[in-house]
Amino acid sequence: MRKKITPAQRRHMDYLRRKGLKVGHAYEARLIKARRKEVSRVLNLCKDFGPGVWEDVIKNNLSEDYLFDWYKGLYLDAGLPRCKSTARDLSLGKAAPEDDYWLGELTQYAENRAGSEIVLVQGTLKDSLVGIVRQSMLDHPEVGIEKLTRIIAKGYQGIELWQARRIAQTETMIGMADASALAASTLDIQFVKQWAISGLGNTRETHEAMDGIIVGADEPFTLPEGDLMMYPHDGSMGASAGEIINCACDVIRRPK
């Protein structure tokens, strides 16, 4: 079933998205700062070795120990307000539980997701830095170690912003979506779910096709390419990364 989404509902979804992404932007800045410090540390280690083993130095020494607390903080700071807004929307404006009502379960979720994402995200940074090292050595075969490390550092700065932004924005939206689902599941309220695109102008075609579609609370959305998702940003049913990364869609839960 499909039902038109009103302008007021669009504005409300946009407000919630912007509110969450404000948190995400703060964590983006934190990630850039922490990563820049770690990359600088590892490149300084490289100076003690010949360039021929720099790839191994990076692979064996780069460590993003800060990621666990970074992920956990992001999910809690973006997720707890979303829990409360979901409860308020579903109860049609009645008083919602305080944030502490969901704190235990949301903390466990945050810790579990952080643990599952760290290896992948840290591996991507290592691969990116190794790639920059290889290209820098090819482009500048005759320069000394000091200049070479500066060239590599500059190359990293060329990718650090978009990498951090992609991670922070995607994880903020995932965290809010999962927190909203958690809140809805704890309330004794019958509801249906409606897919809502952001209207930002860069919505992927598979999501435009889902706009306004309504399914039951326990039913998945079936996307045009066959991916199943319980709500936008949900990867629990094997949806492809292309349907999740940088998505700005949301779900409206309507009381029955």
Side-chain angles (χ1 to χ4, degrees), residues 125-137:
L125 177 59
K126 287 183 179 181
D127 291 343
S128 297
L129 194 55
V130 165
I132 292 169
V133 168
R134 290 176 180 171
Q135 192 61 49
S136 298
M137 289 180 180

Side-chain angles (χ1 to χ4, degrees), residues 9-61:
Q9 289 172 319
R10 299 262 191 217
R11 288 193 296 272
H12 182 56
M13 292 294 103
D14 184 59
Y15 165 76
L16 295 177
R17 179 179 57 82
R18 290 176 181 273
K19 183 179 179 181
L21 287 178
K22 186 176 181 179
V23 174
H25 291 326
Y27 276 86
E28 174 190 321
R30 294 182 194 180
L31 183 58
I32 288 174
K33 183 178 180 180
R35 283 190 150 184
R36 188 173 295 178
K37 183 177 179 180
E38 177 60 12
V39 168
S40 178
R41 183 189 72 83
V42 172
L43 290 181
N44 281 330
L45 285 177
C46 288
K47 294 178 183 179
D48 295 330
F49 302 87
V53 297
W54 282 10
E55 291 185 21
D56 290 335
V57 173
I58 292 169
K59 291 176 181 177
N60 294 330
N61 290 278

